[in-house]
Structures are given as structure tokens and as C-alpha cells.
Amino acid sequence: MPTEWVAVPAPRRGFGALPLAGVSAAALAACAGYWAARAPFGAAGAAGEFAPLHLVAVVAGLVGFAFVVRRPEWGLLALVVVLYTNSSEVAVRVYGVPSLLQMLAAAVAAGLALRLLSAPGGVGAARVVLDPLLVPLVVYAAVVLASSLVAEDAALSDERLSDCLKGLVVFLLVTNLVTTRATLRRAVWALVLSGAFLGAVSVFQALTHAYGTELGGFGRVKLAQIVGGLREPRISGPLSDPNFYAQILAALVPFALYRVWGERRLSLRLAALVALGLVGGALAFTYSRGGALAAGLTLGLALVDRRGGLRLVLPGAALLALLLMSVPGQFGGRLETLERLVPDEEEPAVVVHAESSIEQRKLLMRTAWEMFGAHPWLGVGAGNYSEHFDEYAAHVGSATPSYENFAERRYPHNLYLETAAETGLAGLAAFAAVVGGALLSALWAARGFRRWGAECSGALAMSVALALVAYLASSLFLHGHYIQYLWLLVALAAAARRVARAESPAAAEGF
């Protein structure tokens, strides 16, 4: 094992706040019992009827709660997996069980609170870590709240505010518990294994054509246009749309790739390589052009970061060849349609025959820009783009006059234009401070680790930075429907910077 991964055992701490733990366990038991009695756990019985499986669920929940309270770092890893695989939403939607994400977050927060209260030196000896990135995050949440004052539908703004507050909770938990290089590495591996699981389900579904089942909720499929009049199933994984699924898969590519390069043990490198192949295969079966561009961008930047060389290029070329062999034939034709995003002045008639999805996105983006021009300071209200779409789309016009699904909500298909249209310059500035600060934090951490010889840790931080790049690049074509993934990456970037600062030789020497 490399020297930089040798962890110093933390001093064992006794929990001096046992009454608080007892109250928390009793409260959880009451809630779990109530939820279990209401939730239809498969064939365990009708809603409202208590069945043996309900008791098993309650006991398992209490045991899990006690373990997470005792070891909140491991609970955080479970939280990362549940969040990235969207298991909580799947459990609610498919099985009717309570939110796993909320229960895990509560348990991890309780464990963190007990650790702070029982720290050596008495109550108050340890303090909650408040990272500087918390400031723009709070400001952004405040802008979202303020935008609800001008929103036509305040309930939609409240939903966005709820997403921001959940992001703040995740940020606080990650930055307070990912405090060592070993924990950061475990968090990255949790993401890699999450990608391997999702990729395995998706590749199996695509290769076996198992489109008639959701595979436990992790194999959703959307029948959509691929090229011209060709319609094929597009893999959506546990999400509602294949493009968003491609976005979160593209963000996993640098995590898996840098583990292939950075791990010393052959078994771990092979595991990361398998995960990378599964993620790449699943990404291809989404048929997402934005996801493919984001993944390609991060691969190119990764090669630049590692300064190429035959040692890296040859294995990468072999992996790329394998992926190309598994890519569906229609995927290349779909990528060719990207050239239609740029108008050809010599062939003006091409706009009339352009692919409807591209023309639709042009209309949606131009409409967002029109809204921003009319409401430059606070926008039309967070979540209220769709409420004003018809009003501003009439001013924009389009070569394609109408689209199907008129009753559906409209989204601008661009996170930055969506932020500008809904929260104005105030929201755009705060959002830019968050993502810009996170990217700089990850890059600073990578540089700091490498400066004092911790190359493996530097690779971890760089993979976080490139994951952010992948997400932000794909957001040029997608709105913020699954923004929780971005908040997780922002939190990991902040944690990486704090770890690099705390474990640097200068910090160890007291400078």
C-alpha cells in the first residue's frame, strides 16, 4: 500500500451524549413503525396492515441508524451511493417506501452532532466546518427565495428552494466528514461503484433488449427519435430522461479513469477499468449527444493533464476500440446532427429540414434569453420559466411553428440560461460563484497534493475537477432538473481543498 494511503488510527471516542442517542433512536423507531405500517412492501400486506416484513424493515432501520450514528463516515458513503444511483426516488416510486435519502441524511447528521458533542475537551471543543463556498451557496438560496416574490407560481419557486436547502445539507455533511485523503478516496470509489452498478443494469438491458421491464426501477426506457424518422429505445437508467442519465454518467468517466491510472493494486485498477467500460457502454445507449461531447471533453483534458505518453494512450486506444465495437450503429448518425446547431449561411433552407429536437431547443433557449432581457435582476421567478413560455416564445418565433405535447412543462435545456431567466443577474452571479469556486477548489487541491508528492491524492482531486467540467459542459444542453448531482460534486471539490490544506507539510509543521 502506498505511503500516502497509510491512515493514522483515530482516537476512540466515547459517546457522552447517550440520552440524546436514546431519544433519537426512539424517535426513529416511532417514525419507522408509522412508515412501515403505511407502506405496501410488495406482498407483505395491504396499506395499513402490519406484516412480518414491516417488522424486519423497522429492525433493519434501527440497526442501520445505530451503525451510521457510530460511524457517520460510512453512512456518508451510503448517502453518496443512494444519491447518485437515485435509489431513494426509485424506492419511493416503485416500492412505496419512505425516502431513504432523508433517513440517511438524518442519521449521518445525528452521528456528526454526537461526535461534535462528545469530542475530547467537552461540549463545544469541536466545531462545525463552515467552508467558504458555503457563502455563495447561501446567497444563491437567498436569491431563489427572493425570486419567489415576483414568481407567478410561488409553489414552483418553493420546490427550487427546497432543492437548494437539500444541497446545503449535503454540502455540510460532506465537508464535515470528508476530512482525510482516505475518506476522499472512499467517496470517489463509492461513485465509481455506483457507476458500475448503473452501467451494468443499462448494458444488460440494451444487449438483451429487456425494454419491457424497468429492472427494479433502474432500467427506465424512453422511445424517442434517433436520426430522421428512426425511433429507438433510449436508456434512462433510474432517471426520467436519457439525456440527464448521460449527464451523470459523463461525470463518472473521470472518476473511473483516474482510478485506472492512480491505483497501485492491479485488482483495483481492473475494477475501475470494468466500471469505466460499463459507464461508457451505458452512455452510448442513451444516444445523448451532449453526454458524448462532455465525456469526450473530459477524456481530452485528462490526457492533457497526464501529458499523454504511450503508457496511457495505448490502453486508452484499446478501451476506445472496445467501446466503439459496442456502440449502436445509429449513434454515429445522431452525433452528425450536431452540425445543424450552427446555421449554414450557404444553405438557408437547411433550417426548414433541421431535426425537430434541435430546432425546439433553439426556441427554448432563445425564449429564456428573451425572459432574461425583460427581467434582468431577479428573473421571472425560480421554476417559473414554463409559466411564461407562451408569452415570450411568441416574440421569438421559430422555423418549426409547433411541437407535440403542448400541455407539458417547458424547460430551456440550458442550465445557465435557465438560471438567468428565472433568477436574473443576482442568481447567475451567485451560481457562477458556486461552480467557479468549486472548480478552483478542486484544481487548487490537485496542484497542492502534487506539489508535495502525493500524486494519488492529486489524481483524486483532478478527477473531481473534471467531473465538474463534464457536468457543466453537458449543462449547456440541459436544465437543472437533477441539480442534486451538481451540489454533491461541489461539496467534494470543497472537501478536497480542505483536505489538501489540512494535510500539507506546511500545515503539519504549523505554518
Side-chain angles (χ1 to χ4, degrees):
M1 180 175 291
T3 304
E4 65 172 296
W5 293 131
V6 176
V8 178
R12 298 184 63 86
R13 302 171 180 173
F15 284 101
L18 290 179
L20 179 59
V23 171
S24 300
L28 182 71
C31 293
Y34 171 73
W35 285 331
R38 293 189 59 192
F41 285 87
E49 297 180 2
F50 194 83
L53 190 55
H54 296 163
L55 180 60
V56 172
V58 173
V59 173
L62 289 174
V63 172
F65 179 81
F67 177 78
V68 171
V69 168
R70 187 68 180 88
R71 303 287 186 186
E73 289 89 356
W74 292 101
L76 180 67
L77 296 181
L79 183 69
V80 168
V81 172
V82 168
L83 190 155
Y84 215 92
T85 59
N86 205 33
S87 299
S88 183
E89 190 275 336
V90 169
V92 172
R93 174 173 54 85
V94 178
Y95 304 103
V97 302
S99 172
L100 298 176
L101 199 59
Q102 292 179 11
M103 296 177 69
L104 263 175
V108 173
L112 176 61
L114 287 173
R115 174 169 296 181
L116 294 173
L117 290 173
S118 60
V123 177
R127 296 182 179 180
V128 176
V129 171
L130 299 178
D131 189 89
L133 267 181
L134 191 62
V135 175
L137 277 169
V138 171
V139 171
Y140 179 69
V143 172
V144 171
L145 175 62
S147 73
S148 65
L149 300 177
V150 298
E152 184 173 320
D153 190 337
L156 295 175
S157 295
D158 291 341
E159 290 180 9
R160 293 294 176 87
L161 180 61
S162 176
D163 290 338
C164 291
L165 296 179
K166 292 175 183 176
L168 286 172
V169 171
V170 170
F171 184 86
L172 287 170
L173 293 178
V174 170
T175 52
N176 277 272
L177 290 172
V178 179
T179 56
T180 65
R181 284 175 285 165
T183 309
L184 179 62
R185 178 171 175 251
R186 293 190 192 106
V188 168
W189 264 109
L191 291 171
V192 172
L193 294 178
S194 297
F197 167 72
L198 294 175
V201 173
S202 298
V203 170
F204 169 80
Q205 184 177 39
L207 294 181
T208 60
H209 302 283
Y211 301 126
T213 174
E214 287 194 4
L215 300 177
F218 295 95
R220 305 180 80 178
V221 176
K222 179 180 181 181
L223 183 64
Q225 177 193 31
I226 303 299
V227 179
L230 178 65
R231 296 176 67 86
E232 292 283 343
R234 296 180 61 190
I235 299 297
S236 299
L239 306 186
S240 61
D241 185 271
N243 293 310
F244 287 105
Y245 185 41
Q247 180 180 51
I248 69 170
L249 290 174
L252 291 173
V253 168
F255 286 126
L257 182 63
Y258 273 83
R259 290 303 86 216
V260 174
W261 289 340
E263 291 293 340
R264 302 293 178 87
R265 291 172 55 185
L266 179 61
S267 58
L268 293 179
R269 296 179 70 181
L270 290 176
L273 185 63
V274 170
L276 180 61
L278 291 172
V279 168
L283 182 59
F285 287 114
T286 65
Y287 290 100
S288 173
R289 293 162 291 201
L293 286 176
L297 174 63
T298 55
L299 284 173
L301 292 175
L303 287 175
V304 171
D305 173 60
R306 303 288 291 192
R307 294 175 175 83
L310 292 177
R311 182 174 63 87
L312 302 178
V313 174
L314 291 180
L319 175 62
L320 181 61
L322 290 174
L323 290 177
L324 289 176
M325 291 175 60
S326 64
V327 167
Q330 302 86 351
F331 190 70
R334 184 166 175 81
L335 289 179
E336 292 177 0
T337 62
L338 284 170
E339 65 184 21
R340 297 173 186 170
L341 284 171
V342 181
D344 189 344
E345 295 180 359
E346 297 180 359
E347 299 181 25
V350 75
V351 179
V352 177
H353 304 289
E355 187 185 357
S356 62
S357 64
I358 292 180
E359 281 301 301
Q360 183 179 17
R361 292 192 181 199
K362 289 181 180 179
L363 172 61
L364 294 169
M365 293 179 186
R366 290 169 182 166
T367 302
W369 182 254
E370 189 79 11
M371 288 184 196
F372 173 61
H375 304 272
W377 304 114
L378 274 180
V380 297
N384 275 251
Y385 170 88
S386 185
E387 301 301 307
H388 296 268
F389 175 79
D390 291 334
E391 174 188 353
Y392 289 94
H395 299 150
V396 173
S398 172
T400 305
S402 62
Y403 300 102
E404 59 184 6
N405 302 325
F406 297 100
E408 287 189 357
R409 290 185 55 79
R410 306 288 185 175
Y411 301 98
H413 284 275
N414 183 296
L415 178 59
Y416 314 104
L417 288 175
E418 179 184 47
T419 303
E422 295 185 348
T423 59
L425 282 172
L428 192 60
F431 183 80
V434 171
V435 296
L439 190 56
L440 290 176
S441 294
L443 291 173
W444 186 93
R447 182 181 178 186
F449 281 130
R450 288 170 172 174
R451 184 184 299 139
W452 48 276
E455 180 60 35
C456 291
S457 300
L460 284 175
M462 183 56 69
S463 67
V464 175
L466 292 184
L468 272 167
V469 169
Y471 188 98
L472 296 174
S474 59
S475 293
L476 289 169
F477 313 99
L478 293 172
H479 51 277
H481 192 60
Y482 288 97
I483 199 70
Q484 65 267 30
Y485 293 97
L486 176 60
W487 300 144
L488 175 61
L489 296 176
V490 167
L492 285 175
R497 183 187 61 81
R498 293 190 66 83
V499 170
R501 185 175 181 180
E503 298 193 6
S504 67
E509 294 171 6
F511 291 102

